[in-house]
Amino acid sequence: MTKRVVWGALFGALTMLATGCGDECVDQFDCRDKGTPPEGQVYICNADNKCELRTLTPEPEVDAGTETDAGTEVDAGTDAGTEVDAGTDAGTEVDAGTDAGTGMTVAKGGACTATTECMAGLFCEAATCQALHVAMTGVDGGTRAIVARFDTPGMISLSEDAVASAYPRFGPGGTQVAFVQGDVTAAAGELAVRALPLAAGAPTVLTTGAAAGNARIRYMEWEPGNAIAWVRGSSGISTITTAQGAAPTQATANGTFPDFGPNGVDYAYSAAGAGISVSTNNAPPAPLAGSPTSAEQPHYNRVTSQLLFLANPDGKTVNFGAEATPILKLYSLPVTGGGTPQTLADATSEPVTGGTLESYIANPNWAPDGSWVAYVRAYYQLIGTAATLCGNVSATECGTTPGNVLFLQRVNTTTGAPEGAAVSFENEATLPSFSPDGQYLAYVKGGQLTVQKLDPVAGTKVDPAIVHPKDTYTVLTNEGDDHRPRWQPR
């Protein structure tokens, strides 16, 4: 069994949510008791909270790498060819009041010449301040790379009708978005780019998985530089620029989870059994001093130069069914010089009748200035060697403990150490993502994109959340960080 198979089980487990009274499901993973769907079909949790069988387009193919990924499988969508709404809003317009950012004084709809003039959550587009886009992967019978204005419920697919797509990633400056289209589960998939705001027309195809190592394109990242990076199937990183005629280049022979530093050139990644490596100024990658060999999923902070990562230094695993899941903890470490990792969130264990109530950490992400980190704590009961996620009806020893809880933890921007107690932010939520100005937090709950305004000092909620109903698209979470919502950069 490969490590990535383990991660597929882990992130699938994270998305199991407790259903409400009378509801059959709140998330696609609540539909697993329906059994294995017929080939080419998938169970989704529809807007009526009922499990519904839908046909995928195209039919999924078996990945040649035998690995289930922690975040990159998706499919296409229908593009109406119309521009994303430039400002019609469902009553959730950004507050025109005082903004934390210097010079960020122009409210939504106001005239601008640069995004720095616009208030938090806004982008200068066509000379007016408009709400930022959020990109993610959803399913509506096929897998779709989709974008939405964060404050206006309603999503638009990036690919043409009947064309599968997935893994949307914004480019520097927020004026382009890349995604995989066509055969998104194997090497025939295409890496394509579209301009924002969206207009009619086919996307520009940069390369294919077949042309770039003959492997599926996954774990893709782009901004803040000119290069798009991705993992070839199960291991090894390639890059390409959007320059006309550019060819893909192999950056590493192994590894996964690439993440770019603030200059868009430096990058970090993790490799099974080797921990985290970093490339600086185009030099060959070198192991990050102090990072455990179990470390993975590195995330740069582009202000403080701290690196966020998960690791399992104790080597502890539990079985949810037949799959061994690593019990991960959350750490930070300076990306320059390394050192001794700071523990930001530990695994927990407390006794219950006949066993223990335990937790592990997943899906971490930085606030832009490094002052907060968001993460998910997954709770489970362990009786003997049998682990059951809380929120599952058979997890009788969990009591009222949710299956997973989204937390915010304040971090010292100089040392990378935690400050104060973690803030419990939202139950049964996953894949947190801070807006580029740090004023909003996007996450997925019950298959729906949710955006919450923040108090950046206390790490608490401000105003009601903006919920994008799953009436057309159910937002996917089963591939972990690869399905994390991405914000349009300012």
Side-chain angles (χ1 to χ4, degrees):
M1 180 183 298
T2 68
K3 186 174 186 182
R4 295 271 64 80
V5 170
V6 169
W7 269 103
L10 168 60
F11 286 110
L14 272 176
T15 55
M16 290 178 57
L17 306 176
T19 60
C21 180
D23 291 340
E24 185 176 29
C25 60
V26 294
D27 186 273
Q28 69 196 84
F29 295 96
D30 292 328
C31 300
R32 291 187 297 180
D33 60 0
K34 296 291 185 181
T36 302
E39 183 176 358
Q41 294 184 300
V42 64
Y43 284 109
I44 63 100
C45 185
N46 64 25
D48 296 323
N49 297 103
K50 303 296 182 184
C51 294
E52 179 181 331
L53 195 61
R54 290 189 181 177
T55 300
L56 287 169
T57 53
E59 294 185 357
E61 297 184 16
V62 177
D63 186 355
T66 69
E67 90 174 47
T68 300
D69 196 313
T72 61
E73 178 189 5
V74 220
D75 189 325
T78 59
D79 185 345
T82 58
E83 182 171 318
V84 175
D85 180 10
T88 302
D89 177 305
T92 55
E93 182 166 322
V94 177
D95 183 5
T98 303
D99 194 285
T102 303
M104 297 163 59
T105 58
V106 181
K108 182 176 177 179
C112 59
T113 57
T115 295
T116 51
E117 300 169 0
C118 300
M119 295 178 65
L122 303 180
F123 187 89
C124 189
E125 179 182 297
T128 59
C129 292
Q130 302 294 344
L132 290 168
H133 289 91
V134 180
M136 68 226 85
T137 300
V139 61
D140 67 345
T143 310
R144 318 293 183 194
I146 48 182
V147 294
R149 300 281 188 182
F150 86 89
D151 66 343
T152 309
M155 302 175 179
I156 294 179
S157 174
L158 292 171
S159 54
E160 298 177 286
D161 289 354
V163 178
S165 58
Y167 321 128
R169 305 290 189 265
F170 290 104
T175 59
Q176 291 181 299
V177 59
F179 55 98
V180 181
Q181 69 173 10
D183 187 356
V184 299
T185 65
E190 300 173 333
L191 176 56
V193 174
R194 291 191 67 176
L196 288 175
L198 297 177
T204 300
V205 176
L206 300 180
T207 190
T208 67
N214 199 33
R216 175 185 173 190
I217 298 172
R218 57 203 317 186
Y219 301 116
M220 192 166 64
E221 297 296 343
W222 189 0
E223 60 94 17
N226 294 322
I228 302 172
W230 70 91
V231 175
R232 301 183 304 275
S234 59
S235 186
I237 298 166
S238 291
T239 64
I240 195 170
T241 70
T242 57
Q244 186 174 5
T249 300
Q250 179 174 309
T252 70
N254 66 350
T256 187
F257 291 111
D259 194 61
F260 284 113
N263 60 6
V265 174
D266 300 347
Y267 63 90
Y269 67 96
S270 56
I276 294 169
S277 292
V278 176
S279 171
T280 304
N281 294 325
N282 290 315
L288 178 60
S291 69
T293 57
S294 62
E296 58 177 84
Q297 298 185 63
H299 292 276
Y300 268 95
N301 187 273
R302 296 172 185 171
V303 175
T304 68
S305 295
Q306 292 283 342
L307 202 70
L308 194 67
F309 63 91
L310 294 166
N312 181 23
D314 305 324
K316 180 180 177 181
T317 63
V318 298
N319 287 351
F320 295 98
E323 300 289 354
T325 296
I327 302 306
L328 296 172
K329 307 174 183 181
L330 180 61
Y331 301 90
S332 66
L333 186 65
V335 73
T336 302
T340 301
Q342 297 274 1
T343 302
L344 295 180
D346 207 341
T348 62
S349 178
E350 60 180 88
V352 295
T353 304
T356 54
L357 179 61
E358 308 201 8
S359 73
Y360 57 84
I361 309 301
N363 305 132
N365 197 21
W366 281 116
D369 65 357
S371 62
W372 289 95
V373 63
Y375 62 88
V376 174
R377 183 177 293 278
Y379 291 93
Y380 63 98
Q381 69 175 31
L382 184 62
I383 299 178
T385 59
T388 306
L389 282 166
C390 295
N392 188 308
V393 292
S394 62
T396 55
E397 302 305 323
C398 290
T400 59
T401 302
N404 45 302
V405 179
L406 195 163
F407 282 91
L408 268 60
Q409 173 64 61
R410 179 169 281 284
V411 179
N412 185 296
T413 55
T414 300
T415 66
E419 292 185 337
V423 178
S424 179
F425 194 80
E426 185 69 24
N427 292 343
E428 308 297 10
T430 190
L431 300 179
S433 181
F434 288 92
S435 64
D437 45 40
Q439 301 294 303
Y440 295 87
L441 186 69
Y443 53 88
V444 182
K445 180 174 180 177
Q448 300 181 141
L449 173 67
T450 302
V451 180
Q452 177 66 63
K453 191 172 184 180
L454 299 173
D455 179 334
V457 176
T460 52
K461 299 176 182 179
V462 176
D463 300 331
I466 303 163
V467 178
H468 294 251
K470 56 180 181 182
D471 49 4
T472 300
Y473 297 103
T474 297
V475 180
L476 292 178
T477 59
N478 61 310
E479 295 187 49
D481 191 69
D482 230 13
H483 285 335
R484 173 170 52 86
R486 260 59 172 195
W487 286 82
Q488 182 182 20
R490 280 171 53 95

